[in-house]
Amino acid sequence: MPAIADCAADPPLADSYYALLRLGGDDDDDACTKVTTTPQPVSECELPMIDVGCLTAPTGAAAAAVGQQHQAEERAACAAAIAAAAAEWGFFQVVNHGVAQELLEAMRREQARLFRLPFEAKTSAGLLNDSYRWGTPTATSLRQLSWSEAFHLPLAGISGKSCNYGDLTSLRDVTWEVADAMSRLARALARVLAESLLGHAAGERFPEGCDDATCFLRLNRYPPCPFPPDDAFGLVPHTDSDFLTVLCQDHVGGLQLMKGSRWVAVKPIPGALIVNIGDLFQAWSNNRYKSVEHRVMTNATTERYSVAYFLCPSYDSPIGTCREPSPYKAFTFGEYRRRVQEDVKKTGKKTGLSNFLV
């Protein structure tokens, strides 16, 4: 498919920018309408890197390659590294993760074809079951505007015949393969993290209520942004409202996370996937694992692509706790999501877990 000019493909983010700029002064915390301070320098970090091959390799192949005792020791060391990174950083990177590099490269090509479609086609043609999103509809200030576009797809709809892929016939199979591989990885990591707190039996059952009808794959594109990076984010600072997220980012970079009260940039590592803990895992673990605030910065000249898998339960699933007493009141995922949406609508910001403290 030939590339379509950006003027036809890009969402009207500049229109949103200027509309919010005209509202400048309504938000005392919004420093975007005029930059009067020098931005704090952001250092680049390399997240903990963990080889998870012992978790993703087929059991028979692993057992044939090494003795059972060595296999158990390798798995225990891997589990300890994952739990330590989840507790200290809330983020880590994984290699030998079971998602083929060729598949991720194919996903990148398919994303480029998808997002090159005219903006009107993405918004009005029922493409991918009307899952297209852009900007931040609830933004009341520039600091709440995300300079990005995305398709947010429930796993159950990706492979279904009812999902409208238009003329992008190869997108269906590639998207499903990526979703399936990331799903297997996410569940393996979630089980290991649960086992680290409650033992093997708990890990086998965890997480309950997560299936293809509740988990999501998000295809992201961050167009080049002509405005200063202090004026617009690619994705505004936030934490994830799930158990955990698996992310494939391209070479452009832009992901930053909060570490020790400072923002640090995550260096892209070819072949590695990024994993971060979500709010639900922090609550379930009694704050042992950390759901860390993160953001995506804009790039003036280069578009950025990423794919994110979100491990979510059903709306009626109680989140529970690894052990009592919990610092949080009992709540379901649906109650949590509704409260987040109410907060964003009222204040433009997500309050999150602090709403449910005992």
Side-chain angles (χ1 to χ4, degrees):
M1 175 181 295
I4 296 173
D6 286 347
C7 59
D10 283 350
L13 291 163
D15 292 347
S16 296
Y17 177 92
Y18 286 119
L20 292 170
L21 190 64
R22 287 192 291 271
L23 294 176
D26 292 349
D27 184 351
D28 291 338
D29 294 328
D30 185 1
C32 294
T33 55
K34 59 176 181 178
V35 179
T36 58
T37 59
T38 302
Q40 290 293 321
V42 175
S43 60
E44 191 173 60
C45 74
E46 290 192 18
L47 296 175
M49 181 70 74
I50 304 171
D51 186 332
V52 295
C54 61
L55 305 180
T56 59
T59 303
V66 295
Q68 290 187 352
Q69 179 63 31
H70 184 272
Q71 182 185 352
E73 293 173 353
E74 185 182 22
R75 190 180 190 281
C78 178
I82 291 170
E88 180 182 353
W89 284 81
F91 271 77
F92 53 94
Q93 297 185 100
V94 294
V95 292
N96 290 327
H97 39 66
V99 188
Q101 184 62 30
E102 295 82 2
L103 179 59
L104 294 173
E105 291 171 359
M107 184 76 259
R108 170 65 172 76
R109 292 191 295 270
E110 293 296 334
Q111 279 183 268
R113 296 177 65 220
L114 172 63
F115 284 108
R116 283 180 191 139
L117 291 174
F119 174 69
E120 289 187 2
K122 290 181 284 191
T123 56
S124 62
L127 193 64
L128 274 63
N129 293 357
D130 293 315
S131 60
Y132 180 69
R133 307 288 184 269
W134 65 276
T136 311
T138 58
T140 58
S141 71
L142 285 176
R143 298 301 280 177
Q144 298 167 10
L145 175 64
S146 290
W147 196 273
S148 56
E149 57 180 333
F151 287 88
H152 196 65
L153 302 166
L155 261 62
I158 291 176
S159 61
K161 293 182 179 179
S162 62
C163 189
N164 175 20
Y165 284 86
D167 294 331
L168 305 174
T169 54
S170 56
L171 178 62
R172 181 194 305 271
D173 290 342
V174 173
T175 304
W176 172 247
E177 287 184 44
V178 170
D180 182 57
M182 285 188 168
S183 176
R184 283 185 273 111
L185 172 63
R187 292 172 187 277
L189 295 171
R191 286 194 295 270
V192 164
L193 286 164
E195 287 175 14
S196 294
L197 295 180
L198 287 184
H200 182 72
E204 286 297 308
R205 299 190 303 270
F206 190 89
E208 296 182 2
C210 297
D211 57 34
D212 288 354
T214 64
C215 298
F216 291 84
L217 192 74
R218 188 177 178 95
L219 310 180
N220 301 303
R221 175 180 177 261
Y222 302 87
C225 177
F227 304 108
D230 287 338
D231 283 14
F233 294 110
L235 194 61
V236 297
H238 67 286
T239 58
D240 289 351
S241 301
D242 62 354
F243 276 110
L244 62 78
T245 305
V246 177
L247 174 73
C248 173
Q249 68 166 345
D250 64 16
H251 65 284
V252 176
L255 176 64
Q256 297 181 356
L257 61 90
M258 184 63 71
K259 176 66 172 172
S261 75
R262 293 181 66 88
W263 289 105
V264 295
V266 178
K267 180 180 179 180
I269 304 295
L273 296 178
I274 296 170
V275 180
N276 66 276
I277 300 298
D279 298 343
L280 305 186
F281 228 143
Q282 176 168 326
W284 183 87
S285 69
N286 292 352
N287 296 331
R288 170 69 176 174
Y289 303 140
K290 303 298 189 295
S291 180
V292 174
E293 190 175 30
H294 51 286
R295 65 188 185 183
V296 176
M297 305 306 290
T298 56
N299 188 296
T301 61
T302 308
E303 63 182 1
R304 175 184 185 266
Y305 289 92
S306 69
V307 182
Y309 172 89
F310 299 93
L311 184 65
C312 302
S314 62
Y315 269 44
D316 60 357
S317 292
I319 301 309
T321 177
C322 62
R323 60 175 58 87
E324 296 290 353
S326 169
Y328 299 99
K329 296 176 286 189
F331 62 91
T332 65
F333 181 46
E335 290 170 336
Y336 187 73
R337 289 286 296 167
R338 284 191 292 273
R339 187 59 187 270
V340 167
Q341 291 165 358
E342 290 170 3
D343 288 343
V344 170
K345 185 175 181 180
K346 290 179 181 178
T347 69
K349 300 176 183 178
K350 170 184 172 180
T351 303
L353 287 175
S354 58
N355 282 325
F356 295 89
L357 288 170
V358 173

